[in-house]
Amino acid sequence: AVHEAGFDWIGAIHPHWNRIRNAGLFRERNERGRENLELLAVTIAHGVLPQREYMEMSGRRLSASESGDLSNYKLVRRGDLVYNRMRMWQGAIGLAPCDGIVSPAYVVLKPLPGVNPRYFEYLFKTQAFICEAGRYSYGIADDQNSLRFEDFKTLYSAVPPFEEQCRIAAFLDHETARIDELVREQEQLIVLINEKRSAYVSHLVTQGQDSSAQKQDSGVELLGDVPSHWEVAKLGRLAVKIGSGKTPRGGATAYVDEGVLFLRSQNVYDDGLRLESVVYIDTDTDEEMRGSRVRPMDVLINITGASIGRATIVPQEFHPANVNQHVAIIRLRQPSELAKWIAVVLQTSYAKTLVQLAMSGAARDGLTGEELAQFRVPVPPLEERKAIIAHLEDLESDWAHLTDTANQSKRLLLERRSALISAAVTGQLDLRNWQPPEPEGVAEMA
């Protein structure tokens, strides 16, 4: 058994395969001064793609550093592999689809003769190789670890003959495309479930359960007709408090490992509070900010940024908590009766549109308490509110089951995809005789 550094991760391979250091497979391409070429991005999920496409997908804009002096950027040729030194331990590597340039923080790998870069893209994105790359990445903290080319080239790779590399890459292209299509179908199903749920909730909250009820003009063009026995009230008249939190003194330096929950916009979602990324402040800071403490049955709504308009309710049983300036607290006069209703109303397309209209033409991306107070919301009588909320709670488990089933199918497909790639690039599957299937039309003609 061989125990050289960078070797053990490969495991058993076919006798006709080799274990070769990456230095024997790739050279580092370090050419500069080609700023007229397309700027490329290296991503974990999508590999290498033009920066403009990545910006469109992510909704970002080029920063000054990304659109400024590009003379020091590195040349990439179509067919090169490119990885992000700071994110290689997360799988940020991909095959360049075209010539271009990349940030100096990236490493450009020029394949040597006998190397199919598509095969090695699959190999280098396996969890086994990513873990091995992580072992040779260095930095002052885990999230700043960097894999230099000097270290990358010392690692070994599993290398089949060139023709087999090409066959494995073609097999994986074919099979992963099929799996990716099934994943997209599950994602589209989840979107459809959420759209139907949203439409149904919006209808109930604005029209009620009784389709035969007499209607009247709500006085709000966007809302239209509502049941004539409903009230349409300004949110400010229903609340005793509408106001946002604030940044603690010292900003993020005030966060502590344990203490009072400090809720931010990334914790507030329409389907509830998500506490995976929650931070804490100490009791002294909480006391200084006591005006922005939350209470059970408060309604929280994000008032700035990309998540503006997301709203939820604080559960009846909840830890002591505070909020920052990106989240507004809506405290109702009759919280036990109104909070659930107002939270549901704020999650409808009607309320989301109110948010967007309040923002249109504004040279800022935030709502104020005064603007929220002017929102006009439909309010049925108490017993009807309770009946609608109870009906929605009953349906919620059905919607959740459908969504969970689709998410589980997606997870299983992605696990199968990962396992298939790993088996193919480490030789657990013998693909020497694999042939791509004929297109359906050709098979039918034959």
Side-chain angles (χ1 to χ4, degrees):
V2 179
H3 296 286
E4 287 188 66
F7 197 103
D8 291 343
W9 76 272
I10 299 173
I13 57 174
H14 288 302
H16 67 286
W17 286 31
N18 291 310
R19 297 179 178 92
I20 300 175
R21 285 188 188 273
N22 289 336
L25 303 169
F26 298 93
R27 294 286 183 268
E28 183 177 18
R29 192 188 294 278
N30 222 348
E31 302 171 46
R32 315 285 174 124
R34 304 294 290 273
E35 59 265 36
N36 59 311
L37 292 176
E38 177 104 58
L39 183 59
L40 305 177
V42 181
T43 70
I44 295 170
H46 307 289
V48 178
L49 69 167
Q51 182 83 300
R52 54 184 167 74
E53 289 185 18
Y54 174 62
M55 293 300 177
E56 289 173 6
M57 290 167 55
S58 60
R60 290 182 55 223
R61 294 182 179 179
L62 283 174
S63 67
S65 62
E66 291 170 323
S67 57
D69 181 13
L70 305 178
S71 61
N72 198 38
Y73 275 44
K74 296 180 178 180
L75 171 68
V76 178
R77 291 298 187 192
R78 179 181 179 183
D80 286 348
L81 287 174
V82 190
Y83 74 81
N84 183 335
R85 285 182 301 185
M86 302 289 288
R87 290 288 177 263
M88 184 59 196
W89 59 276
Q90 294 175 306
I93 186 169
L95 180 65
C98 60
D99 291 355
I101 54 174
V102 292
S103 161
Y106 298 159
V107 174
V108 183
L109 303 174
K110 174 185 176 182
L112 296 178
V115 169
N116 182 314
R118 183 66 169 153
Y119 163 82
F120 284 94
E121 180 185 31
Y122 280 119
L123 178 68
F124 293 154
K125 289 182 81 72
T126 61
Q127 193 58 44
F129 183 84
I130 288 171
C131 290
E132 187 68 9
R135 291 179 57 213
Y136 291 86
S137 300
Y138 302 96
I140 59 175
D142 286 347
D143 63 353
Q144 295 180 348
N145 282 346
S146 177
L147 180 67
R148 303 171 303 165
F149 179 72
E150 289 74 15
D151 296 307
F152 170 85
K153 70 181 183 181
T154 67
L155 302 179
Y156 281 87
S157 289
V159 185
F162 180 71
E163 182 181 347
E164 197 169 345
Q165 293 175 37
C166 298
R167 201 175 294 275
I168 291 170
F171 168 80
L172 289 175
D173 285 346
H174 180 266
E175 293 299 317
T176 58
R178 292 174 57 196
I179 295 173
D180 290 344
E181 179 58 33
L182 293 173
V183 169
R184 281 191 291 273
E185 288 177 6
Q186 295 304 312
E187 290 173 339
Q188 290 167 0
L189 177 59
I190 292 168
V191 170
L192 182 62
I193 292 168
N194 288 332
E195 286 177 349
K196 288 190 172 297
R197 175 190 179 280
S198 177
Y200 186 70
V201 171
S202 292
H203 176 79
L204 272 187
V205 168
T206 58
Q207 300 297 305
Q209 293 176 286
D210 183 1
S211 58
S212 64
Q214 186 177 351
K215 301 291 195 300
Q216 68 176 8
D217 185 358
S218 66
V220 181
E221 182 178 356
L222 188 62
L223 188 56
D225 292 344
V226 297
S228 56
H229 61 288
W230 286 22
E231 179 185 7
V232 177
K234 287 185 177 180
L235 192 54
R237 190 170 67 79
L238 305 174
V240 294
K241 174 185 177 69
I242 300 180
S244 64
K246 61 181 181 179
T247 301
R249 189 181 305 169
T253 62
Y255 299 160
V256 295
D257 293 335
E258 295 181 355
V260 178
L261 287 175
F262 189 58
L263 302 175
R264 300 169 294 167
S265 56
Q266 56 261 57
N267 303 122
V268 177
Y269 283 79
D270 286 343
D271 60 2
L273 290 170
R274 300 185 188 178
L275 304 181
E276 296 87 353
S277 61
V278 76
V279 295
Y280 300 86
I281 54 177
D282 60 34
T283 52
D284 289 341
T285 303
D286 175 60
E287 179 61 29
E288 290 177 12
M289 300 171 58
R290 56 186 176 274
S292 53
R293 287 173 178 162
V294 302
R295 299 178 186 173
M297 305 307 287
D298 280 349
V299 176
L300 304 182
I301 181 170
N302 292 343
I303 56 173
T304 68
S307 66
I308 191 168
R310 285 199 316 232
T312 194
I313 191 170
V314 178
Q316 186 69 59
E317 301 293 331
F318 197 66
H319 314 279
N322 213 305
V323 295
N324 74 358
Q325 74 276 20
H326 303 298
V327 181
I329 299 169
I330 302 173
R331 187 165 297 146
L332 285 309
R333 295 185 182 278
Q334 299 170 313
S336 60
E337 297 178 7
L338 269 178
K340 287 184 178 180
W341 177 260
I342 295 302
V344 171
V345 171
L346 291 177
Q347 293 164 8
T348 63
S349 55
Y350 164 66
K352 305 297 186 188
T353 305
L354 286 181
V355 170
Q356 295 306 314
L357 288 175
M359 297 307 305
S360 63
R364 54 186 169 78
D365 63 346
L367 282 173
T368 65
E370 290 76 14
E371 287 168 330
L372 280 172
Q374 294 303 309
F375 281 12
R376 299 187 67 188
V377 294
V379 185
L382 174 60
E383 292 307 315
E384 193 170 352
R385 282 204 308 270
K386 287 181 176 180
I388 292 173
I389 292 295
H391 178 59
L392 289 175
E393 288 176 346
D394 287 341
L395 289 177
E396 196 63 46
S397 61
D398 295 334
W399 287 320
H401 175 70
L402 291 171
T403 303
D404 289 346
T405 300
N407 275 318
Q408 177 67 6
S409 297
K410 177 182 173 181
R411 280 194 296 271
L412 291 173
L413 286 166
L414 292 175
E415 288 172 6
R416 179 173 173 238
R417 186 184 194 278
S418 179
L420 186 69
I421 292 171
S422 180
V425 298
T426 57
Q428 296 173 48
L429 295 178
D430 189 344
L431 298 170
R432 283 174 287 182
N433 297 319
W434 180 82
Q435 295 292 336
E438 291 184 341
E440 292 182 8
V442 174
E444 290 171 3
M445 289 174 63

